[in-house]
């Protein structure tokens, strides 16, 4: 078990160094990264498509990179906005890492891009531990997920610079308790802004773009008080996370072997190696 823990810590330390370098590189060219995290089915792709479309209509130079385990469906949807979009297939890996992102941006990201929206893999566990060099980390949760998600996933919500509630048009139908949700968010991330949206009805659309533009212009960004957790957020997190992340964290010797093997295979490479394994030029849509 010690070997696995040490490996995870080494992976995160290497990721932090790459994230810092990527943040510095993008800042020098005037680009801000917005990292979007959520559970599967939260509606972030639909909301992001609306935000990208609005950005194009307003003449804001934006691009989007979306990550998925197996399909290119999200890139096809986002491409309808008319902005540069790239799909990253992670081959089963449950999150993006900074050096992976760097490899996929190299030679693709248009020089004039000012906002880069990164739609992370649908997962509230692994992505929470990995800095992508973002300026703005946004966690999205739909009203259909319930009010207790911030407490079940305190790392994801606790490290957010902005929290977005989606599908508010369904709030009454599912009995969503907004006050309870806001109180739970405040418990894990005091002072973070909570924005209500409905992509289908247009409510709140443009708020995410506005916050991203404010960050681009050097405006204040909420700073969470929570420190980043142990690798993959295992310490202090409960709820249904073990179920969501069970593919990589089954208990016993099989866990040690599979998880260590996954990180050694999928995390220890430089940008060019990742580019060779994961880049899909045909999926890059403009």
């Amino acid at each position: 078990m010690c070997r696995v823990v040490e490996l995870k810590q080494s992976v995160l330390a290497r990721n932090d160094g790459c994230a810092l370098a990527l943040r510095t590189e993008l800042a020098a060219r005037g680009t801000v990264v917005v990292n979007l995290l959520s559970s599967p089915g939260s509606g972030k792709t639909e909301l992001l498509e609306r935000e990208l479309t609005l950005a194009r209509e307003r003449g804001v130079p934006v691009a989007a990179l979306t990550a998925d385990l197996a399909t290119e469906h999200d890139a096809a949807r986002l491409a309808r906005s008319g902005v540069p979009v790239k799909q990253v297939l992670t081959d089963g890996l449950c999150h993006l890492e900074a050096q992976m992102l760097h490899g996929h941006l190299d030679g693709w990201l248009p020089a004039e891009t000012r906002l880069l929206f990164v739609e992370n893999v649908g997962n509230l566990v692994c992505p929470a531990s990995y800095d992508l060099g973002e300026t703005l980390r946004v966690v999205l949760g739909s009203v259909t997920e319930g009010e207790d998600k911030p407490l079940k996933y305190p790392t994801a919500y606790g490290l957010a610079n902005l929290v977005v509630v989606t599908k508010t048009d369904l709030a009454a139908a599912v009995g969503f308790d907004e006050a309870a949700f806001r109180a739970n968010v405040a418990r894990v991330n005091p002072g973070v802004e909570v924005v209500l949206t409905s992509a289908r009805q247009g409510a709140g659309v443009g708020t995410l773009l506005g916050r991203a533009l404010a960050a681009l212009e050097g405006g204040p960004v909420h700073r969470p008080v929570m420190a980043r957790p142990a690798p993959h957020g295992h310490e202090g997190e409960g709820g249904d996370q073990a179920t969501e992340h069970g593919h990589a964290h089954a208990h016993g010797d099989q866990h040690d072997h599979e998880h260590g093997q996954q990180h050694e295979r999928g995390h220890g490479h430089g940008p060019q190696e990742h580019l060779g394994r994961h880049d899909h030029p045909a999926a890059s849509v403009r």
Side-chain angles (χ1 to χ4, degrees):
M1 179 63 69
C2 291
R3 181 188 66 83
V4 176
V5 171
E6 290 172 358
L7 178 58
K8 293 177 190 173
Q9 291 173 340
S10 176
V11 166
L12 284 179
R14 185 164 54 245
N15 182 84
D16 287 347
C18 186
L20 177 59
L22 181 57
R23 182 180 288 109
T24 302
E25 176 184 329
L26 291 175
R29 57 185 283 176
T31 303
V32 157
V33 176
V34 181
N35 184 11
L36 305 178
L37 286 71
S38 79
S39 299
S42 69
K44 71 176 177 294
T45 303
E46 185 169 4
L47 178 61
L48 181 55
E49 180 187 348
R50 296 289 300 273
E51 299 285 346
L52 293 174
T53 300
L54 184 60
R56 179 184 56 78
E57 293 172 349
R58 293 181 178 178
V60 179
V62 299
L65 182 145
T66 180
D68 206 346
L69 275 69
T71 74
E72 300 177 359
H73 297 167
D74 290 348
R77 292 177 61 186
L78 295 180
R80 296 184 303 200
S81 67
V83 309
V85 175
K86 185 172 187 179
Q87 179 78 59
V88 174
L89 298 182
T90 65
D91 296 339
L93 197 62
C94 58
H95 61 277
L96 286 173
E97 296 178 9
Q99 61 183 1
M100 293 171 63
L101 180 60
H102 183 278
H104 286 287
L105 296 182
D106 188 26
W108 169 75
L109 187 66
E112 70 275 9
T113 303
R114 293 297 167 261
L115 294 178
L116 171 64
F117 288 90
V118 177
E119 184 180 20
N120 219 313
V121 179
N123 179 349
L124 282 176
V125 183
C126 297
S129 295
Y130 287 84
D131 183 359
L132 297 184
E134 70 266 20
T135 296
L136 198 62
R137 176 178 290 206
V138 182
V139 173
L140 301 90
S142 73
V143 298
T144 59
E145 296 176 58
E147 302 83 5
D148 61 348
K149 277 298 184 289
L151 303 182
K152 288 188 173 184
Y153 298 91
T155 300
Y157 278 89
L159 292 176
N161 305 115
L162 177 68
V163 173
V164 175
V165 179
T166 61
K167 304 184 181 181
T168 56
D169 52 301
L170 301 177
V174 300
F176 178 69
D177 188 335
E178 180 186 338
F181 179 84
R182 287 181 179 275
N184 289 336
V185 170
R187 286 180 59 183
V188 299
N189 194 342
V192 70
E193 182 183 10
V194 177
V195 174
L196 304 182
T197 68
S198 169
R200 292 193 173 183
Q201 293 185 341
V205 172
T207 305
L208 177 57
L209 176 61
R211 300 298 183 271
L213 286 172
L216 176 65
E217 295 167 359
V221 174
H222 169 74
R223 299 301 178 192
V225 297
M226 175 183 285
R228 199 179 68 178
H232 284 193
H234 293 303
E235 294 183 5
E237 292 192 9
D240 51 2
Q241 296 177 21
T243 302
E244 178 179 337
H245 201 47
H247 66 280
H249 295 281
H251 297 292
D253 294 338
Q254 186 69 12
H255 159 247
D256 295 350
H257 172 72
E258 290 183 356
H259 194 68
Q261 187 178 63
Q262 177 183 354
H263 280 284
E264 290 170 350
R265 173 177 59 83
H267 299 313
H269 310 297
Q272 293 305 316
E273 291 178 80
H274 276 294
L275 192 61
R277 289 183 60 245
H278 298 300
D279 199 23
H280 299 267
S284 300
V285 185
R286 293 184 69 103

